[in-house]
mmCIF file of all heavy atoms in Angstrom:
data_model
loop_
_atom_site.group_PDB
_atom_site.id
_atom_site.type_symbol
_atom_site.label_atom_id
_atom_site.label_comp_id
_atom_site.label_asym_id
_atom_site.label_seq_id
_atom_site.Cartn_x
_atom_site.Cartn_y
_atom_site.Cartn_z
ATOM 1 N N PHE D 1058 0.084 -17.174 -24.542
ATOM 2 C CA PHE D 1058 0.139 -18.488 -23.896
ATOM 3 C C PHE D 1058 -1.044 -19.347 -24.351
ATOM 4 O O PHE D 1058 -0.872 -20.518 -24.641
ATOM 5 C CB PHE D 1058 0.134 -18.330 -22.367
ATOM 6 C CG PHE D 1058 1.250 -17.484 -21.815
ATOM 7 C CD1 PHE D 1058 1.014 -16.579 -20.797
ATOM 8 C CD2 PHE D 1058 2.550 -17.602 -22.322
ATOM 9 C CE1 PHE D 1058 2.042 -15.806 -20.282
ATOM 10 C CE2 PHE D 1058 3.581 -16.832 -21.814
ATOM 11 C CZ PHE D 1058 3.317 -15.930 -20.780
ATOM 12 N N TYR D 1059 -2.226 -18.744 -24.370
ATOM 13 C CA TYR D 1059 -3.395 -19.492 -24.827
ATOM 14 C C TYR D 1059 -3.260 -19.897 -26.281
ATOM 15 O O TYR D 1059 -3.683 -21.001 -26.663
ATOM 16 C CB TYR D 1059 -4.653 -18.637 -24.628
ATOM 17 C CG TYR D 1059 -4.979 -18.347 -23.178
ATOM 18 C CD1 TYR D 1059 -5.263 -17.047 -22.749
ATOM 19 C CD2 TYR D 1059 -4.982 -19.363 -22.212
ATOM 20 C CE1 TYR D 1059 -5.553 -16.752 -21.419
ATOM 21 C CE2 TYR D 1059 -5.251 -19.088 -20.873
ATOM 22 C CZ TYR D 1059 -5.531 -17.779 -20.490
ATOM 23 O OH TYR D 1059 -5.813 -17.504 -19.186
ATOM 24 N N HIS D 1062 -0.833 -22.860 -26.553
ATOM 25 C CA HIS D 1062 -1.457 -24.076 -26.043
ATOM 26 C C HIS D 1062 -2.481 -24.612 -27.028
ATOM 27 O O HIS D 1062 -2.560 -25.833 -27.235
ATOM 28 C CB HIS D 1062 -2.111 -23.754 -24.687
ATOM 29 C CG HIS D 1062 -2.624 -24.984 -23.992
ATOM 30 N ND1 HIS D 1062 -1.807 -25.986 -23.537
ATOM 31 C CD2 HIS D 1062 -3.894 -25.360 -23.645
ATOM 32 C CE1 HIS D 1062 -2.524 -26.916 -22.942
ATOM 33 N NE2 HIS D 1062 -3.794 -26.575 -22.989
ATOM 34 N N ILE D 1066 1.610 -26.275 -28.941
ATOM 35 C CA ILE D 1066 2.995 -25.909 -28.769
ATOM 36 C C ILE D 1066 3.276 -25.855 -27.262
ATOM 37 O O ILE D 1066 2.588 -25.140 -26.540
ATOM 38 C CB ILE D 1066 3.323 -24.569 -29.442
ATOM 39 C CG1 ILE D 1066 3.075 -24.682 -30.963
ATOM 40 C CG2 ILE D 1066 4.754 -24.135 -29.169
ATOM 41 C CD1 ILE D 1066 3.185 -23.371 -31.712
ATOM 42 N N ALA D 1067 4.260 -26.588 -26.827
ATOM 43 C CA ALA D 1067 4.459 -26.803 -25.385
ATOM 44 C C ALA D 1067 4.709 -25.501 -24.621
ATOM 45 O O ALA D 1067 5.499 -24.654 -25.048
ATOM 46 C CB ALA D 1067 5.648 -27.737 -25.171
ATOM 47 N N ILE D 1068 4.012 -25.353 -23.515
ATOM 48 C CA ILE D 1068 4.281 -24.350 -22.490
ATOM 49 C C ILE D 1068 4.195 -25.020 -21.143
ATOM 50 O O ILE D 1068 3.599 -26.096 -21.004
ATOM 51 C CB ILE D 1068 3.272 -23.153 -22.571
ATOM 52 C CG1 ILE D 1068 1.837 -23.648 -22.381
ATOM 53 C CG2 ILE D 1068 3.417 -22.407 -23.873
ATOM 54 C CD1 ILE D 1068 0.824 -22.528 -22.293
ATOM 55 N N GLU D 1069 4.785 -24.410 -20.109
ATOM 56 C CA GLU D 1069 4.854 -25.029 -18.811
ATOM 57 C C GLU D 1069 4.625 -24.002 -17.718
ATOM 58 O O GLU D 1069 5.030 -22.834 -17.846
ATOM 59 C CB GLU D 1069 6.230 -25.689 -18.589
ATOM 60 C CG GLU D 1069 6.601 -26.738 -19.611
ATOM 61 C CD GLU D 1069 8.043 -27.174 -19.546
ATOM 62 O OE1 GLU D 1069 8.856 -26.440 -18.914
ATOM 63 O OE2 GLU D 1069 8.386 -28.201 -20.131
ATOM 64 N N ALA D 1070 4.001 -24.420 -16.630
ATOM 65 C CA ALA D 1070 3.879 -23.547 -15.459
ATOM 66 C C ALA D 1070 5.263 -23.390 -14.830
ATOM 67 O O ALA D 1070 6.080 -24.328 -14.842
ATOM 68 C CB ALA D 1070 2.932 -24.147 -14.442
ATOM 69 N N GLN D 1071 5.540 -22.194 -14.296
ATOM 70 C CA GLN D 1071 6.829 -21.986 -13.621
ATOM 71 C C GLN D 1071 6.620 -21.144 -12.367
ATOM 72 O O GLN D 1071 5.632 -20.393 -12.252
ATOM 73 C CB GLN D 1071 7.822 -21.337 -14.550
ATOM 74 C CG GLN D 1071 7.592 -19.871 -14.806
ATOM 75 C CD GLN D 1071 8.773 -19.203 -15.510
ATOM 76 O OE1 GLN D 1071 9.744 -19.841 -15.893
ATOM 77 N NE2 GLN D 1071 8.684 -17.899 -15.680
ATOM 78 N N PRO D 1162 4.340 -24.025 -8.653
ATOM 79 C CA PRO D 1162 3.085 -24.686 -8.992
ATOM 80 C C PRO D 1162 2.583 -25.641 -7.899
ATOM 81 O O PRO D 1162 1.388 -25.659 -7.605
ATOM 82 C CB PRO D 1162 3.407 -25.425 -10.289
ATOM 83 C CG PRO D 1162 4.500 -24.612 -10.923
ATOM 84 C CD PRO D 1162 5.312 -24.092 -9.767
ATOM 85 N N THR D 1169 -2.418 -29.236 -10.421
ATOM 86 C CA THR D 1169 -2.600 -30.485 -11.136
ATOM 87 C C THR D 1169 -1.380 -30.719 -11.976
ATOM 88 O O THR D 1169 -1.002 -29.851 -12.780
ATOM 89 C CB THR D 1169 -3.852 -30.437 -12.065
ATOM 90 O OG1 THR D 1169 -4.998 -30.136 -11.276
ATOM 91 C CG2 THR D 1169 -4.031 -31.766 -12.791
ATOM 92 N N PRO D 1170 -0.685 -31.835 -11.826
ATOM 93 C CA PRO D 1170 0.516 -32.088 -12.626
ATOM 94 C C PRO D 1170 0.259 -31.933 -14.114
ATOM 95 O O PRO D 1170 -0.740 -32.431 -14.636
ATOM 96 C CB PRO D 1170 0.891 -33.532 -12.268
ATOM 97 C CG PRO D 1170 0.288 -33.762 -10.924
ATOM 98 C CD PRO D 1170 -0.990 -32.955 -10.913
ATOM 99 N N GLY D 1171 1.135 -31.203 -14.784
ATOM 100 C CA GLY D 1171 1.012 -31.036 -16.212
ATOM 101 C C GLY D 1171 0.131 -29.882 -16.664
ATOM 102 O O GLY D 1171 0.031 -29.586 -17.841
ATOM 103 N N ASP D 1172 -0.528 -29.206 -15.699
ATOM 104 C CA ASP D 1172 -1.393 -28.067 -16.057
ATOM 105 C C ASP D 1172 -0.496 -26.826 -16.233
ATOM 106 O O ASP D 1172 0.045 -26.308 -15.273
ATOM 107 C CB ASP D 1172 -2.423 -27.825 -14.965
ATOM 108 C CG ASP D 1172 -3.313 -26.607 -15.246
ATOM 109 O OD1 ASP D 1172 -3.220 -26.051 -16.358
ATOM 110 O OD2 ASP D 1172 -4.094 -26.208 -14.365
ATOM 111 N N PRO D 1173 -0.373 -26.299 -17.460
ATOM 112 C CA PRO D 1173 0.536 -25.160 -17.649
ATOM 113 C C PRO D 1173 -0.033 -23.850 -17.107
ATOM 114 O O PRO D 1173 0.709 -22.888 -16.943
ATOM 115 C CB PRO D 1173 0.650 -25.076 -19.193
ATOM 116 C CG PRO D 1173 -0.600 -25.676 -19.707
ATOM 117 C CD PRO D 1173 -0.941 -26.750 -18.737
ATOM 118 N N PHE D 1174 -1.329 -23.831 -16.790
ATOM 119 C CA PHE D 1174 -1.979 -22.581 -16.403
ATOM 120 C C PHE D 1174 -2.221 -22.458 -14.900
ATOM 121 O O PHE D 1174 -2.902 -21.527 -14.457
ATOM 122 C CB PHE D 1174 -3.320 -22.415 -17.145
ATOM 123 C CG PHE D 1174 -3.156 -22.304 -18.632
ATOM 124 C CD1 PHE D 1174 -3.595 -23.335 -19.464
ATOM 125 C CD2 PHE D 1174 -2.572 -21.193 -19.200
ATOM 126 C CE1 PHE D 1174 -3.439 -23.240 -20.842
ATOM 127 C CE2 PHE D 1174 -2.413 -21.082 -20.587
ATOM 128 C CZ PHE D 1174 -2.859 -22.128 -21.406
ATOM 129 N N VAL D 1175 -1.671 -23.382 -14.097
ATOM 130 C CA VAL D 1175 -1.993 -23.359 -12.653
ATOM 131 C C VAL D 1175 -1.533 -22.053 -12.010
ATOM 132 O O VAL D 1175 -2.273 -21.457 -11.190
ATOM 133 C CB VAL D 1175 -1.411 -24.611 -11.955
ATOM 134 C CG1 VAL D 1175 0.106 -24.663 -12.079
ATOM 135 C CG2 VAL D 1175 -1.836 -24.641 -10.490
ATOM 136 N N CYS D 1176 -0.334 -21.562 -12.317
ATOM 137 C CA CYS D 1176 0.153 -20.328 -11.725
ATOM 138 C C CYS D 1176 -0.553 -19.109 -12.326
ATOM 139 O O CYS D 1176 -0.879 -18.165 -11.603
ATOM 140 C CB CYS D 1176 1.659 -20.197 -11.896
ATOM 141 S SG CYS D 1176 2.609 -21.389 -10.925
ATOM 142 N N LEU D 1177 -0.799 -19.144 -13.615
ATOM 143 C CA LEU D 1177 -1.498 -18.052 -14.266
ATOM 144 C C LEU D 1177 -2.912 -17.909 -13.733
ATOM 145 O O LEU D 1177 -3.383 -16.783 -13.460
ATOM 146 C CB LEU D 1177 -1.537 -18.285 -15.785
ATOM 147 C CG LEU D 1177 -2.328 -17.279 -16.619
ATOM 148 C CD1 LEU D 1177 -1.802 -15.864 -16.423
ATOM 149 C CD2 LEU D 1177 -2.292 -17.656 -18.093
ATOM 150 N N ASN D 1178 -3.583 -19.010 -13.518
ATOM 151 C CA ASN D 1178 -4.950 -18.953 -12.996
ATOM 152 C C ASN D 1178 -4.981 -18.402 -11.564
ATOM 153 O O ASN D 1178 -5.876 -17.654 -11.196
ATOM 154 C CB ASN D 1178 -5.619 -20.339 -13.029
ATOM 155 C CG ASN D 1178 -5.923 -20.780 -14.441
ATOM 156 O OD1 ASN D 1178 -6.081 -19.960 -15.340
ATOM 157 N ND2 ASN D 1178 -6.036 -22.101 -14.659
ATOM 158 N N PRO D 1271 4.235 -16.286 -15.146
ATOM 159 C CA PRO D 1271 3.866 -17.529 -14.485
ATOM 160 C C PRO D 1271 3.960 -18.744 -15.395
ATOM 161 O O PRO D 1271 3.582 -19.835 -15.008
ATOM 162 C CB PRO D 1271 2.435 -17.267 -14.044
ATOM 163 C CG PRO D 1271 1.900 -16.350 -15.107
ATOM 164 C CD PRO D 1271 3.049 -15.486 -15.539
ATOM 165 N N ILE D 1272 4.430 -18.517 -16.618
ATOM 166 C CA ILE D 1272 4.532 -19.589 -17.619
ATOM 167 C C ILE D 1272 5.901 -19.516 -18.282
ATOM 168 O O ILE D 1272 6.425 -18.443 -18.579
ATOM 169 C CB ILE D 1272 3.409 -19.488 -18.651
ATOM 170 C CG1 ILE D 1272 2.081 -19.953 -18.013
ATOM 171 C CG2 ILE D 1272 3.697 -20.293 -19.916
ATOM 172 C CD1 ILE D 1272 0.897 -19.942 -18.924
ATOM 173 N N ASN D 1273 6.474 -20.696 -18.529
ATOM 174 C CA ASN D 1273 7.727 -20.834 -19.261
ATOM 175 C C ASN D 1273 7.430 -21.432 -20.643
ATOM 176 O O ASN D 1273 6.629 -22.348 -20.770
ATOM 177 C CB ASN D 1273 8.676 -21.735 -18.486
ATOM 178 C CG ASN D 1273 9.925 -22.098 -19.286
ATOM 179 O OD1 ASN D 1273 10.021 -23.158 -19.869
ATOM 180 N ND2 ASN D 1273 10.877 -21.177 -19.288
#
Side-chain angles (χ1 to χ4, degrees):
F1058 303 139
Y1059 295 131
H1062 188 64
I1066 298 173
I1068 59 174
E1069 301 168 345
Q1071 73 168 5
T1169 302
D1172 178 8
F1174 296 111
V1175 61
C1176 291
L1177 176 59
N1178 289 337
I1272 285 181
N1273 172 260

